[in-house]
């Protein structure tokens, strides 16, 4: 059966077509710069890659373009023949603890969550509505970034703020990147030939956006991103953890508006704030004083989370690296792992090779590199929902 996965952003649609259960990718289409003067569409299938420029006014036109390319290149003749369409939805709030078949009431609830994810949920919703129009008889399934973290205990998800803010305004830790952490957990279990439920692991999704997750018995029990994806690790342009009084100071003493502070923390901080660059590969190559400082700060924060999660979990079977940095940068992994102590031993040669297992045989904790694939996980979720 064919399952499509749609990741709809504010000005882009990422589309992937899978043949399931074989997990074969039949096509990958990226429509970018929707609503701008000229839009780019990149189609990859078999060994081919096509780049098309055209005017794509909105998400509806974007999906029309995708459907027409699939048919023109004989990848998928009839869009309505799909067995399911899986949608990435960033915020599922407290409502959605699992992937869900979309109906009118689900749409309403996703819309009601917009205040918690004003940048993401409207775009996700737009993608769903357009796909529903184009394929009204195909089951549409929402897969939420927050769902994997929805079983965290209260002591992990509550902030030490007045309890009413949680009760009345739902201010709490939600966590994000859940689809990636869940996928990496399953892959790790497969590699270690264990059941997910048997594993205590720490997953580190390190990319332009980064998060750490403490997984106990296959369940996320803590994660570094919080009410929004701003909290936690130092990221490409996001500050991660800071003293929240800085926000008050920026407003009161420096006269910055809320919008300016929002931009400062989300777009101008993190690595870019320290060394004016958010690309870890380039920062490592540059290697000047500020670049080194930025990397050292980022690594220090990762170590602090690993230490904290080890203390929380007690027994840790594996520390697993994923995401653009986690999967590719032996340099960063070495910096993170070399002085962790507690009998954790890095195999430097295996690490340099980006091998799957990068710990020595006698290491007390397995150190691993696992490639993430959020689209694949969404297709997997669709398949298991269709089966039930
Ligand atoms: P992502 O957001 O997961 O696509 O990850 C993007 C980040 O991964 C960027 O900071 C890239 O510089 C970084 N990255 C990708 N490949 C490498 C590499 N070989 N060495 C260091 N960083 C890398």
């Amino acid at each position: 059966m064919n399952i499509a996965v749609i990741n709809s952003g504010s000005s882009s649609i990422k589309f992937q077509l899978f043949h399931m259960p074989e997990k074969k990718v039949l096509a990958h289409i990226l429509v970018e710069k929707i609503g701008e003067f000229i839009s780019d569409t990149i189609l990859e299938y078999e060994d081919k890659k096509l780049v098309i420029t055209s005017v794509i006014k909105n998400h509806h036109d974007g999906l029309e373009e995708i459907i027409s390319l699939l048919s023109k290149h004989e990848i998928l003749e009839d869009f309505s023949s799909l067995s399911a369409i899986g949608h990435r939805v960033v915020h599922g709030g407290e409502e959605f603890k699992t992937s869900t078949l979309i109906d009118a009431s689900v749409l309403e609830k996703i819309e009601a969550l917009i205040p918690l994810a004003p940048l993401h949920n409207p775009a996700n919703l737009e993608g769903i509505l357009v796909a529903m129009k184009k394929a009204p008889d195909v089951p549409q399934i929402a897969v939420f970034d927050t769902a994997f973290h929805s079983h965290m205990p209260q002591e992990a998800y509550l902030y030490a703020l007045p309890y009413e803010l949680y009760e009345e305004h739902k201010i709490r830790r939600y966590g994000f990147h859940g689809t990636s952490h869940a996928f990496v957990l399953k892959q790790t279990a497969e590699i270690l030939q264990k059941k997910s439920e048997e594993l205590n692991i720490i997953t580190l999704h390190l990319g332009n956006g980064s998060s750490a997750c403490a997984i106990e018995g296959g369940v996320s029990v803590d994660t570094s991103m919080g009410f929004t994806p701003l909290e936690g690790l130092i990221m490409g342009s996001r500050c991660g953890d800071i003293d929240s009084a800085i926000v008050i100071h920026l407003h009161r003493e420096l006269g910055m508006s809320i919008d300016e502070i929002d931009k400062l923390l989300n777009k101008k901080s993190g690595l870019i704030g320290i060394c004016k660059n958010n690309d870890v590969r380039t920062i490592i190559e540059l290697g000047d004083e500020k670049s080194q400082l930025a990397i050292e700060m980022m690594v220090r924060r990762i170590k602090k989370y690993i230490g904290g999660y080890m203390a929380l979990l007690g027994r840790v079977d594996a520390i697993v690296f994923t995401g653009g940095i986690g999967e590719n940068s032996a340099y960063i992994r070495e910096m993170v792992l070399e002085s962790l102590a507690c009998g954790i031993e890095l195999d430097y040669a295996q690490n340099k090779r980006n091998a799957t297992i990068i710990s020595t045989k006698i290491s007390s904790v397995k150190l691993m590199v696992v490639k993430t694939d959020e689209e694949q996980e969404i297709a997997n979720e669709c398949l298991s929902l269709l089966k039930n």
Side-chain angles (χ1 to χ4, degrees):
M1 68 174 79
N2 291 331
I3 294 179
V5 172
I6 293 180
N7 181 352
S8 172
S10 56
S11 63
S12 69
I13 303 175
K14 283 186 202 156
F15 177 96
Q16 219 157 307
L17 181 64
F18 290 91
H19 191 65
M20 299 293 280
E22 294 82 0
K23 303 182 180 177
K24 184 169 184 245
V25 179
L26 301 179
H28 186 288
I29 305 177
L30 175 63
V31 186
E32 280 184 311
K33 301 188 205 158
I34 294 174
E36 288 186 28
F37 188 54
I38 285 188
S39 314
D40 296 326
T41 303
I42 303 160
L43 163 66
E44 291 174 75
Y45 72 108
E46 294 165 2
D47 295 331
K48 305 183 188 91
K49 182 172 177 176
L50 266 93
V51 182
I52 303 137
T53 51
S54 57
V55 181
I56 295 175
K57 293 197 298 289
N58 50 36
H59 285 71
H60 180 269
D61 292 1
L63 193 61
E64 288 252 308
E65 174 79 341
I66 290 170
I67 295 169
S68 104
L69 282 172
L70 292 171
S71 154
K72 186 172 159 196
H73 294 277
E74 294 172 3
I75 303 163
L76 181 75
E77 289 299 339
D78 178 9
F79 199 67
S80 309
S81 70
L82 286 167
S83 298
I85 302 177
H87 296 269
R88 177 189 182 213
V89 181
V90 166
H91 219 307
E94 290 196 312
E95 193 74 42
F96 296 106
K97 295 186 186 298
T98 52
S99 303
T100 306
L101 190 65
I102 300 171
D103 59 16
S105 98
V106 171
L107 285 176
E108 249 173 51
K109 286 173 186 158
I110 295 173
E111 194 171 2
L113 288 164
I114 286 177
L116 294 182
L119 297 181
H120 294 103
N121 271 31
N124 302 155
L125 199 58
E126 179 71 16
I128 296 172
L129 292 172
V130 166
M132 285 176 99
K133 253 193 204 138
K134 285 280 141 201
D137 297 325
V138 175
Q140 313 266 342
I141 291 162
V143 180
F144 300 92
D145 269 16
T146 46
F148 182 61
H149 305 298
S150 65
H151 302 284
M152 283 188 288
Q154 234 190 3
E155 61 268 30
Y157 72 68
L158 274 189
Y159 290 108
L161 293 167
Y163 196 81
E164 303 78 65
L165 284 179
Y166 164 61
E167 282 184 314
E168 289 162 27
H169 301 283
K170 299 291 166 211
I171 295 178
R172 52 159 284 179
R173 174 182 312 285
Y174 290 98
F176 298 87
H177 280 154
T179 315
S180 173
H181 290 294
F183 180 79
V184 166
L185 166 67
K186 286 180 203 159
Q187 294 294 106
T188 302
E190 218 173 289
I191 295 160
L192 298 179
Q193 297 183 329
K194 292 250 164 76
K195 290 193 179 122
S196 293
E197 308 86 81
E198 294 170 354
L199 286 178
N200 281 10
I201 65 172
I202 297 169
T203 46
L204 300 165
H205 179 115
L206 308 177
N208 206 22
S210 298
S211 68
C213 184
I215 300 174
E216 187 173 23
V219 177
S220 165
V221 292
D222 216 326
T223 190
S224 59
M225 284 179 169
F227 180 63
T228 73
L230 182 59
E231 195 184 344
L233 302 178
I234 293 175
M235 307 176 220
S237 66
R238 284 175 249 168
C239 58
D241 299 335
I242 57 166
D243 180 344
S244 41
I246 294 170
V247 175
I248 303 166
H249 184 84
L250 291 174
H251 176 64
R252 205 182 268 159
E253 303 298 325
L254 277 67
M256 290 180 77
S257 69
I258 293 301
D259 284 347
E260 284 168 337
I261 298 171
D262 184 358
K263 196 167 174 196
L264 179 97
L265 302 181
N266 277 293
K267 301 248 186 300
K268 296 184 178 176
S269 296
L271 300 176
I272 232 173
I274 301 297
C275 69
K276 307 234 176 306
N277 205 310
N278 68 342
D279 190 294
V280 166
R281 207 173 351 191
T282 316
I283 297 172
I284 294 170
E285 273 162 24
L286 286 170
D288 57 274
E289 208 176 305
K290 288 274 173 57
S291 301
Q292 275 179 33
L293 175 63
I295 294 290
E296 266 158 27
M297 288 170 68
M298 181 185 85
V299 166
R300 188 182 182 86
R301 183 76 55 85
I302 299 168
K303 278 175 183 263
K304 283 167 80 169
Y305 269 92
I306 294 176
Y309 288 169
M310 285 181 72
L312 270 182
L313 293 173
R315 188 199 90 224
V316 176
D317 300 307
I319 298 172
V320 190
F321 288 79
T322 195
I325 302 166
E327 290 165 26
N328 299 300
S329 182
Y331 180 82
I332 298 292
R333 290 193 306 260
E334 185 174 321
M335 279 181 81
V336 169
L337 294 167
E338 66 186 350
S339 58
L340 279 187
C342 308
I344 298 173
E345 261 193 31
L346 177 67
D347 181 326
Y348 289 84
Q350 291 293 79
N351 185 44
K352 282 224 162 60
R353 289 181 41 234
N354 287 332
T356 304
I357 308 271
I358 56 169
S359 47
T360 64
K361 291 215 162 60
I362 58 162
S363 176
S364 58
V365 173
K366 282 248 172 358
L367 306 172
M368 298 174 66
V369 179
V370 173
K371 194 170 160 21
T372 193
D373 191 338
E374 285 160 289
E375 282 75 22
Q376 175 73 72
E377 179 63 8
I378 294 174
N380 294 345
E381 284 289 293
C382 290
L383 186 64
S384 57
L385 213 76
L386 288 178
K387 277 190 192 158
N388 298 323

